[in-house]
Amino acid sequence: MAAAFGRYHTAVVRGIPDSVRYDALIQAEQRDYVDVEKARQEHAAYVQALRDLGLKIVELPGAEDLPDCPFVEDCAVVCNGTALVTRPGHSSRRGEVHAVKKVLEEDLGLEVVHMVEDEATMDGGDVLFTGKEFFVGLSNRTNEAGARILAETFPDYSVTTVPIARGLHLKCFCTMAAPDVMAVGEGPEAQRAWQEIRARGDHKYAVLNIPDDGAANCMFVNGTIMHCAADEFPKSAKTFTSARLEYPRVQVPNKELAKVDGSLTCLSLLI
Amino acid sequence: MPSEEGANEVNQQDAVPAENKTEVKTSPVKKTKPVKMQLCRVLLLDGTEYEVELDKKAKGQQLFDMICDHLNLLEKDYFGITYRDPQDQKYWLDPLKEIRKQIKDLEEKENVIIPPGGPWVFGFNVKFYPPDPAQLQEDITRYQLSLQIRDDILKGRLPCSFVTHALLGSYIVQSELGDYDPEEHSADYLSEFKFAPNQTKELEEKVMELHKTHKGQTPAEAELHYLENAKKLAMYGVDLHHAKVRQDEKDDSEGVEIMLGVCANGLLIYRDRLRINRFAWPKILKISFKRSNFYIKIRPGEFEQFESTIGFKLPNHRAAKRLWKVCVEHHTFFRLVSPEPPPKSKILFLGSKFRYSGRTQHQTRQISALIDRPAPNFERTLSKRFSSKSMDAGLWTSPGYAPYREQNRPDLSKLPPDMSASADAVGAGKLPYADDVPPQGDESQGEKDAEQQRRQKNIHEMKMEFLSQTPQPAPGGWDARTPPKTLSQQKEEKEEHEVAAAVQETVPPVAEPEVNGTETHAAPPEPAAPEELTNKVDDDDEIPNVENAVVDELESQEPPTVEVKTETVKYVASDEAQPEFTSSVPIVKTESKTITYEQNEDGEPDQDPGVLVSAQTVTSETISTTTTTHITKTVKGGVAETRIEKRIVITGDTDIDHDQYMKKDGTLETHMERTTVLTGDSNQDEALADLIKEAADQNPDMTVTKVVVHKEEGEQQVTTNGTGEDD
């Protein structure tokens, strides 16, 4: 049925438009301006890291009218050969899905389901797939109607909702570090979400508590853990490097896009 | 078969199939009287029908045993007989009761119409879906299980993705047709198969593609793969019930529609397709129903102080009771070492003393481990039946019967008469891909035979051996013929056997992290180590006096799995008999405390609230009051503790519940428990203060120690402690 958790052959990414500097959505009150050139360098390093892990890269061009378009994760949820193309929670981002849908359907041959219901919203960043079940954060960007469509699209798995009061997406502070191992930030919102997951999920997971919430966003790709850089999150990076897990680790810089709430998982769709 | 032998007496205990009626002896001395026979027709999982005539007064167990004999099924505890009404609502047949009475009950209370004089029609279905089918002892059991799952999928009860339909389908094809052979299997070779409710050509193509990859798998292997995949599906083994949850007390409207799912792990709550909550069995302290409401009492969470109760509204009283029964059965089967005995008392019970009467999974595994026969041969031809439309009116000469005869039966002379009587002459010849083809490589057939000869004990012999031993005290015995022990005797026995022993069962590793009853505050260490295996069940103490069971007194050889405790779950039925039962029984070690896992108020992590080892509930009801007496046995730090809790519920407008506790000196102390429903925006503290004051006013000599607030919505809320003693 499902392949072993965390095995992928392709990644879909998207180039960074100049407009990210001034127009990308931010949660913070004050904008910390993205150095676009540096962001592009970091992005290239990220893409190379994926390539090094054996993934084929499909890169979509950035679009100036879609400043958040590098965060392709929010546009779809891909699992077992089916892609659910979402209806992003923020109206300014709805346009991002078209190019993504096209490439998933036509170039990658996936079975595509498009979330078209008017009331349903979903950002892929709220959807945590553990390999055994789904957790969907109900946040400002993702609602129950969207979660319901996800549940219908992937009937093999239970879909459990997790309320998110603060923070952008569930995966901002909670991701899979390895099979059955969840990286969870130490902040209160993150720990609360983790308690929900523990109580209401179908399966058991070990937890890797990460000092900085933002650093809890990591990726398990083809047997390797990609995580935050030491100069951005020294304590958290140390937690990753010293964790007793059998997998090799790779540090990936992401200083610039973090200013606009972009974290590692946001930058790709893994298939 | 018409009963031309009506004049003969038929001895029901032998479970002799009707076809052998001519062999029944007639006592020459006794006057014979005509026995009324009833035709039963059972739709089996492979689509065939099994017909048999039974004494009209036969109990469910008899029919069940005959079906299992016919199917050659030994691991029968996972299965049951069902009646399905036109709305596809399922009713399980109680093996202990007369079939006739249950049918009458259905007719009256559920408006089910059964044509008079016609056959009674039933289904044979999986009742408890084993979480790990690989651990079933026999392939034939897995075969029956896979048949059930196939039906579940086709009927839409088990939703799957396209990919899953294809994969599961490919294993079916492999098990029925064998290896893919381009010459034999034309482009259309799958058209007779049904893999999904909505089957497309695309699906069939995918099945074929996957079928090719299974080359070399025997039918049993393919079936195992089938089950290994099916068991992972979210809705596998989930029994769903429609219910409603009220969101607002003032809201007279129906409330939010939800589905309650009962499964091996506990209770699941769905709204639409979303899992909105889940209560593993260890988290549930009590399940009860009253009128058409179903209640569960939940252990407090890590950061909560008090237990909470959640109520659900079922369509009617029967639905609530049915749900309650299913919960009791699932909990007992999957969680307990042996079934809880039904409440016993000197006075006649008026209401439901329903308890699960079969073996638990633990017991059935122990017994199954003793199965020592060569794998029975059987034919897998379900799909052909679908296409050839040979589902005629179930005469028992239909093709389905012959292939079920097994070959290589154990020496029948060693078996008790009832078993040998049901064996038929060896039938069809060997089929391709039969299961008794010796496995490649591993051991030679000769070695296997020698081993079988060495282990000469068959079930019958062990049974005789067991029964001839000094009877063990059987605290959990549910055999009605065992003289009922008084509660104190039972408790004392339990104490002796279970002090300082954590009682566990082996369950699949989807258990609560709160093993040992402690609330684990810190998250488990990273990375996860599998839960430590502690002592296995001490089998000696848990041998029930079950008729057909033989229990191996050695510890089972199962692989280490997660330890799970028996927990106390109160099974409270709303209508029971029995007033002052406990007060007349001399009690050993009572405490006047409520059974909760309340945290210490200073926020310290719970010091091991103890392992709840057993629970007994006795309830009684008069017109206005219901008295529930709950006796719990806890093992805490190696010391056994028994608590007696008596609750008197006076039904009326205010739903005032009195909790009575027996103190050490034997006096009863009344505690008040008030039930109310708070809306989201009410001032909880104020309302509670009012409640406490009111309760105190009404009963001057009462101490309020606990106020339980029921919140009837999807999320549980904490309850607060009143004034008075803490735990």
Side-chain angles (χ1 to χ4, degrees):
Chain A
M1 195 156 62
F5 176 69
R7 302 227 66 90
Y8 309 103
H9 52 76
T10 304
V12 175
V13 297
R14 196 157 186 181
I16 300 174
D18 292 330
S19 55
V20 74
R21 180 170 167 85
Y22 295 108
D23 299 325
L25 297 168
I26 49 170
Q27 293 230 298
E29 306 248 321
Q30 272 217 320
R31 188 177 286 273
D32 189 0
Y33 291 93
V34 172
D35 180 332
V36 182
E37 269 321 302
K38 279 211 181 120
R40 289 194 179 122
Q41 284 167 12
E42 288 178 341
H43 192 252
Y46 173 88
V47 169
Q48 187 56 41
L50 291 175
R51 220 179 254 122
D52 290 343
L53 291 172
L55 271 67
K56 181 180 115 187
I57 306 293
V58 174
E59 181 148 358
L60 295 169
E64 290 304 326
D65 60 333
L66 299 168
D68 285 293
C69 67
F71 308 124
V72 287
E73 175 191 54
D74 294 321
C75 292
V77 178
V78 181
C79 181
N80 291 349
T82 299
L84 171 64
V85 172
T86 63
R87 187 169 178 270
H90 200 284
S91 49
S92 70
R93 300 193 61 187
R94 304 259 159 86
E96 295 175 30
V97 305
H98 303 299
V100 172
K101 180 180 176 200
K102 190 155 184 283
V103 80
L104 292 175
E105 203 162 31
E106 295 174 18
D107 299 331
L108 296 172
L110 295 174
E111 187 77 25
V112 168
V113 175
H114 195 173
M115 186 181 291
V116 290
E117 193 189 301
D118 268 347
E119 287 109 45
T121 60
M122 174 173 281
D123 275 9
D126 275 316
V127 179
L128 177 61
F129 180 59
T130 68
K132 297 180 173 163
E133 57 184 319
F134 281 100
F135 293 99
V136 179
L138 296 182
S139 64
N140 289 330
R141 300 291 179 89
T142 301
N143 63 15
E144 238 185 57
R148 212 168 296 136
I149 294 177
L150 183 94
E152 281 167 15
T153 309
F154 300 110
D156 292 354
Y157 302 103
S158 355
V159 176
T160 302
T161 53
V162 178
I164 308 285
R166 255 177 287 282
L168 184 58
H169 294 135
L170 173 60
K171 282 198 282 196
C172 284
F173 44 70
C174 183
T175 54
M176 298 303 289
D180 296 331
V181 180
M182 236 179 244
V184 179
E186 282 176 2
E189 187 64 34
Q191 287 296 314
R192 209 179 343 235
W194 163 239
Q195 291 309 319
E196 285 288 318
I197 287 173
R198 258 184 79 200
R200 289 157 50 179
D202 248 357
H203 301 268
K204 278 174 76 172
Y205 306 97
V207 69
L208 188 60
N209 285 305
I210 305 294
D212 308 288
D213 277 359
N217 181 290
C218 64
M219 298 161 66
F220 182 70
V221 179
N222 292 349
T224 297
I225 305 175
M226 290 171 59
H227 67 86
C228 60
D231 58 348
E232 291 163 49
F233 297 105
K235 264 185 94 183
S236 298
K238 185 142 192 284
T239 307
F240 274 109
T241 51
S242 59
R244 275 172 295 135
L245 291 167
E246 68 207 61
Y247 307 98
R249 280 140 251 203
V250 166
Q251 290 189 24
V252 181
N254 188 43
K255 192 163 175 200
E256 294 306 313
L257 288 177
K259 296 173 182 172
V260 289
D261 308 320
S263 35
L264 298 179
T265 62
C266 303
L267 298 171
S268 60
L269 273 170
L270 299 175
I271 298 148
Chain B
M1 289 252 193
S3 51
E4 58 254 6
E5 291 92 33
N8 294 346
E9 257 179 17
V10 177
N11 184 351
Q12 292 309 312
Q13 302 294 9
D14 286 345
V16 172
E19 62 189 306
N20 291 332
K21 254 198 312 191
T22 44
E23 294 166 12
V24 170
K25 294 194 191 119
T26 318
S27 159
V29 179
K30 265 196 197 167
K31 184 170 130 191
T32 60
K33 53 179 182 194
V35 172
K36 279 188 163 180
M37 302 301 288
Q38 168 67 43
L39 182 64
C40 294
R41 185 183 295 157
V42 185
L43 180 63
L44 301 173
L45 287 167
D46 66 357
T48 59
E49 287 180 354
Y50 172 61
E51 274 196 4
V52 65
E53 274 204 330
L54 292 179
D55 185 324
K56 250 195 157 71
K57 293 191 185 172
K59 298 196 175 150
Q61 186 69 44
Q62 187 185 337
L63 177 61
F64 183 69
D65 288 340
M66 292 172 82
I67 298 170
C68 292
D69 267 353
H70 168 74
L71 293 176
N72 204 2
L73 188 66
L74 289 183
E75 293 178 282
K76 12 189 213 183
D77 301 301
Y78 300 93
F79 301 85
I81 303 176
T82 55
Y83 183 83
R84 272 215 155 88
D85 73 8
Q87 284 80 42
D88 207 38
Q89 178 59 56
K90 199 172 54 189
Y91 305 91
W92 293 103
L93 211 63
D94 189 335
L96 298 183
K97 294 192 183 143
E98 278 187 27
I99 302 175
R100 174 184 58 173
K101 287 192 179 157
Q102 297 182 64
I103 295 217
K104 199 159 154 227
D105 215 37
L106 282 175
E107 282 185 306
E108 285 171 11
K109 302 205 179 147
E110 309 272 4
N111 294 327
V112 156
I113 314 277
I114 308 210
W120 292 340
V121 181
F122 303 102
F124 178 78
N125 295 98
V126 171
K127 190 167 188 186
F128 303 113
Y129 289 73
D132 194 6
Q135 288 191 39
L136 293 173
Q137 201 68 22
E138 295 200 309
D139 292 332
I140 197 168
T141 320
R142 275 183 283 270
Y143 170 61
Q144 291 292 330
L145 175 60
S146 66
L147 288 176
Q148 175 69 71
I149 295 171
R150 284 164 73 169
D151 190 57
D152 290 342
I153 291 177
L154 290 179
K155 299 272 168 61
R157 290 188 290 264
L158 187 54
C160 304
S161 63
F162 173 89
V163 169
T164 301
H165 278 130
L167 184 63
L168 294 180
S170 69
Y171 285 122
I172 293 172
V173 175
Q174 178 68 25
S175 75
E176 287 194 15
L177 300 184
D179 288 351
Y180 175 78
D181 183 347
E183 282 169 31
E184 245 188 68
H185 299 138
S186 65
D188 232 4
Y189 81 114
L190 296 177
S191 59
E192 284 185 356
F193 286 86
K194 285 283 286 163
F195 303 120
N198 305 307
Q199 190 155 315
T200 59
K201 195 78 189 122
E202 202 191 338
L203 178 61
E204 290 177 14
E205 284 168 12
K206 185 77 182 171
V207 171
M208 177 166 82
E209 189 188 307
L210 291 169
H211 177 208
K212 292 175 185 170
T213 69
H214 302 324
K215 248 193 168 68
Q217 285 180 22
T218 65
E221 284 170 358
E223 230 144 59
L224 183 59
H225 289 132
Y226 179 88
L227 293 173
E228 289 287 288
N229 281 289
K231 78 180 188 191
K232 293 179 192 163
L233 293 171
M235 299 308 291
Y236 171 84
V238 178
D239 187 40
L240 288 175
H241 299 250
H242 286 275
K244 283 184 174 135
V245 166
R246 278 207 324 246
Q247 286 194 313
D248 189 329
E249 187 195 357
K250 300 184 221 103
D251 187 1
D252 274 335
S253 76
E254 296 296 282
V256 181
E257 289 247 12
I258 57 162
M259 299 282 271
L260 279 165
V262 186
C263 67
N265 299 321
L267 226 50
L268 309 166
I269 308 188
Y270 301 90
R271 186 158 60 219
D272 293 320
R273 288 206 185 213
L274 296 176
R275 172 86 61 82
I276 59 174
N277 221 329
R278 166 191 185 262
F279 303 106
W281 291 124
K283 203 143 172 76
I284 301 179
L285 289 173
K286 168 179 153 179
I287 51 180
S288 58
F289 70 100
K290 189 148 100 177
R291 294 189 281 269
S292 55
N293 297 313
F294 174 77
Y295 297 102
I296 51 175
K297 189 194 261 191
I298 310 295
R299 256 211 270 173
E302 259 183 52
F303 305 110
E304 291 161 4
Q305 268 197 304
F306 308 99
E307 31 181 69
S308 50
T309 301
I310 308 174
F312 304 93
K313 192 150 181 60
L314 278 286
N316 52 56
H317 172 76
R318 296 284 294 188
K321 186 170 184 181
R322 188 165 55 232
L323 172 58
W324 176 79
K325 276 188 175 180
V326 168
C327 288
V328 168
E329 290 178 329
H330 273 72
H331 175 263
T332 307
F333 184 80
F334 287 108
R335 297 291 299 175
L336 299 186
V337 171
S338 63
E340 209 181 74
K344 294 200 203 300
S345 93
K346 312 168 221 171
I347 301 176
L348 187 69
F349 276 101
L350 298 175
S352 168
K353 51 185 187 297
F354 172 81
R355 290 295 179 271
Y356 174 61
S357 58
R359 282 177 226 148
T360 64
Q361 180 173 238
H362 174 82
Q363 289 170 326
T364 191
R365 278 176 172 167
Q366 287 187 309
I367 291 159
S368 298
L370 301 173
I371 290 175
D372 185 20
R373 62 175 185 177
N377 199 3
F378 57 94
E379 186 185 314
R380 296 170 170 82
T381 53
L382 173 57
S383 309
K384 283 193 204 132
R385 275 189 196 87
F386 276 147
S387 66
S388 66
K389 298 187 175 50
S390 66
M391 315 233 309
D392 48 27
L395 305 171
W396 43 343
T397 51
S398 89
Y401 281 69
Y404 281 111
R405 307 301 175 238
E406 67 164 21
Q407 299 168 347
N408 303 327
R409 268 259 189 175
D411 184 354
L412 296 181
S413 61
K414 292 205 186 108
L415 296 171
D418 52 330
M419 281 182 78
S420 57
S422 57
D424 284 304
V426 170
K430 280 204 174 182
L431 303 162
Y433 306 105
D435 288 77
D436 58 354
V437 171
Q440 291 86 353
D442 292 343
E443 29 177 328
S444 69
Q445 191 61 30
E447 236 177 49
K448 267 176 133 185
D449 287 342
E451 198 193 288
Q452 279 168 4
Q453 274 159 16
R454 261 199 319 263
R455 296 168 46 195
Q456 263 311 305
K457 281 185 173 187
N458 60 30
I459 290 177
H460 173 66
E461 283 179 11
M462 293 203 72
K463 177 178 177 181
M464 300 318 296
E465 199 180 282
F466 166 64
L467 290 175
S468 65
Q469 288 165 357
T470 329
Q472 300 262 0
W478 49 265
D479 188 328
R481 282 176 277 167
T482 314
K485 298 186 168 70
T486 63
L487 265 181
S488 64
Q489 277 179 358
Q490 290 183 358
K491 275 198 337 301
E492 273 165 15
E493 284 161 2
K494 281 185 174 168
E495 242 163 68
E496 286 157 40
H497 296 303
E498 290 157 5
V499 161
V503 180
Q504 302 123 30
E505 330 90 357
T506 51
V507 290
V510 186
E512 277 289 298
E514 291 130 21
V515 172
N516 287 327
T518 43
E519 302 285 344
T520 51
H521 283 252
E526 50 219 75
E531 297 287 342
E532 276 164 47
L533 177 70
T534 52
N535 305 330
K536 300 241 172 55
V537 165
D538 189 0
D539 295 336
D540 290 344
D541 311 315
E542 295 294 339
I543 302 170
N545 188 9
V546 177
E547 257 194 320
N548 294 321
V550 175
V551 180
D552 188 1
E553 296 185 34
L554 304 170
E555 284 186 56
S556 62
Q557 301 298 317
E558 288 161 297
T561 54
V562 178
E563 153 209 314
V564 165
K565 312 289 187 212
T566 53
E567 62 273 335
T568 181
V569 176
K570 293 161 76 164
Y571 303 148
V572 178
S574 69
D575 28 289
E576 301 263 34
Q578 199 30 256
E580 309 76 22
F581 184 57
T582 37
S583 50
S584 61
V585 175
I587 306 295
V588 175
K589 281 191 192 172
T590 60
E591 286 198 26
S592 56
K593 285 188 181 175
T594 28
I595 303 147
T596 61
Y597 296 104
E598 292 173 2
Q599 261 191 3
N600 301 333
E601 281 179 341
D602 56 5
E604 253 187 79
D606 242 352
Q607 306 302 315
D608 190 1
V611 175
L612 280 152
V613 160
S614 69
Q616 296 225 13
T617 304
V618 177
T619 47
S620 70
E621 192 176 70
T622 64
I623 288 174
S624 61
T625 62
T626 304
T627 305
T628 308
T629 309
H630 188 67
I631 299 114
T632 345
K633 173 76 154 303
T634 311
V635 174
K636 195 175 189 171
V639 176
E641 242 171 32
T642 304
R643 296 171 177 176
I644 312 266
E645 180 186 298
K646 192 169 182 178
R647 172 178 297 135
I648 299 173
V649 177
I650 300 166
T651 56
D653 291 344
T654 52
D655 264 353
I656 296 174
D657 298 350
H658 300 261
D659 275 311
Q660 283 205 318
Y661 296 89
M662 183 178 292
K663 301 203 282 198
K664 278 185 179 153
D665 59 4
T667 59
L668 290 177
E669 189 182 296
T670 306
H671 300 247
M672 287 281 279
E673 184 177 8
R674 166 113 187 219
T675 306
T676 188
V677 175
L678 296 183
T679 60
D681 53 2
S682 66
N683 185 337
Q684 196 167 7
D685 288 348
E686 214 172 64
L688 281 170
D690 286 346
L691 291 173
I692 293 170
K693 182 171 182 305
E694 187 182 312
D697 288 345
Q698 292 191 344
N699 271 38
D701 53 352
M702 168 219 80
T703 313
V704 176
T705 59
K706 193 155 176 288
V707 175
V708 177
V709 173
H710 295 203
K711 234 181 177 178
E712 288 194 6
E713 42 183 332
E715 285 175 49
Q716 66 274 33
Q717 258 309 329
V718 299
T719 56
T720 54
N721 214 353
T723 56
E725 47 186 56
D726 327 285
D727 271 355

